[in-house]
Amino acid sequence: MNAGILQDITIGPCRLILGDCLDILPSLPGVADMLFCDVAYELTSGGNAHQSMGGIFANDRYSNNGLLMDVPAWEELGAPFFRACKPNADAYIMANDKNVFRAGLTFEGAGWRFHNLLVWDKVRATRNRWYMKNLEFTIYLWKGKSDPKGIHDCGSKQSFTLNAKKETAHPTEKPVALARHYISNSSKPDDVILDPMMGTGSAMVGAVELGRRAIGIEKNPKWFDVAVQRVTAAVVASQAGAQ
């Protein structure tokens, strides 16, 4: 077993790995047909808002330092992600407004090519003195020098509107429906979906629901265990639906 792998579990079509993706990805060259990643990025810090914030930004949960979790440098990620994907693979990299430009430049510098900038309209907004924030961004990239593949549903717009109910306690959980939207457009049945920072496994669940295989890596044992539970439930539901 790779020294960086602390736990390695196969559940149906999914392989879930506990460990740091930067340690593990070198052992997975060219494995993925598509990559989805909600990168752990630094949030906006500071400010002098006069109103108390709630949820993940409540005073007892967040110190306003910009860090809700371990945050890697963007410059560390582009090349390992690139090498873990097959030729002509698509990648969806999520970032907020303060990180999207740096992330895009970094990933293009690692060999990725830019397709489009996508938007998730969360409907709910976070308070801000310089316009309330209701959007998150997805950098849509591809690996390959020419002839990139198109998405399956060419009627899809840049924006995806979803007021999603949280399913876990993860501070930056992404909805399964969003991951499923990207996966359905850029992969086909039995393709391998890679999520190097899977959190609680939303992309893994989406892959199961769409009949894809998937590899998810997560370094936090707490969220890894939640992902195992969610993927197990998704596989059981998928098998029951197939009967």
Side-chain angles (χ1 to χ4, degrees):
M1 180 182 289
N2 184 310
I5 296 178
L6 303 178
Q7 198 170 349
D8 193 338
I9 299 175
T10 298
I11 307 169
C14 297
R15 180 184 179 190
L16 307 186
I17 302 171
L18 176 62
D20 190 324
C21 69
L22 295 179
D23 296 329
I24 295 165
L25 286 177
S27 67
L28 300 172
V31 70
D33 296 283
M34 184 197 131
L35 185 147
F36 170 90
C37 192
D38 177 29
V39 174
Y41 48 77
E42 186 172 355
L43 303 174
T44 302
S45 60
N48 58 355
H50 299 293
Q51 292 179 294
S52 176
M53 301 285 276
I56 64 172
F57 299 105
N59 291 334
D60 60 345
R61 300 180 65 183
Y62 177 55
S63 66
N64 204 29
N65 65 357
L67 301 175
L68 278 169
M69 59 198 74
D70 291 337
V71 174
W74 285 103
E75 290 76 11
E76 296 179 294
L77 304 177
F81 287 11
F82 187 86
R83 289 190 290 265
C85 288
K86 296 177 182 178
N88 209 27
D90 281 349
Y92 292 82
I93 307 298
M94 296 199 68
N96 67 356
D97 54 344
K98 295 295 181 68
N99 286 275
V100 67
F101 300 107
R102 178 181 172 189
L105 289 172
T106 296
F107 274 70
E108 285 193 273
W112 291 100
R113 304 185 72 180
F114 178 79
H115 263 317
N116 209 333
L117 182 63
L118 309 179
V119 177
W120 171 31
D121 181 351
K122 299 185 290 185
V123 182
R124 300 190 308 272
T126 302
R127 292 173 183 160
N128 192 289
R129 290 182 295 154
W130 304 281
Y131 299 97
M132 293 174 65
K133 294 177 182 269
N134 64 302
L135 304 177
E136 287 194 35
F137 300 90
T138 302
I139 308 166
Y140 173 35
L141 307 162
W142 93 93
K143 175 180 178 178
K145 294 184 179 180
S146 62
D147 194 26
K149 59 186 179 183
I151 60 174
H152 296 309
D153 180 5
C154 292
S156 298
K157 298 179 180 179
Q158 283 180 290
S159 61
F160 185 85
T161 302
L162 178 66
N163 185 355
K165 180 180 178 181
K166 284 181 66 66
E167 297 183 16
T168 76
H170 193 285
T172 60
E173 174 191 299
K174 296 302 179 287
V176 171
L178 178 65
R180 191 171 58 227
H181 175 61
Y182 295 149
I183 292 169
S184 65
N185 260 335
S186 288
S187 68
K188 58 185 185 297
D190 277 340
D191 275 358
V192 175
I193 311 304
L194 173 64
D195 187 346
M197 299 179 183
M198 71 172 172
T200 57
S202 292
M204 302 294 101
V205 173
V208 170
E209 293 176 349
L210 291 168
R212 275 59 163 171
R213 294 176 290 157
I215 299 173
I217 305 170
E218 174 57 40
K219 67 185 296 185
N220 186 309
K222 174 182 177 181
W223 304 128
F224 178 81
D225 289 344
V226 175
V228 168
Q229 295 170 11
R230 295 182 77 199
V231 172
T232 299
V235 169
V236 169
S238 176
Q239 292 172 344
Q243 293 177 354

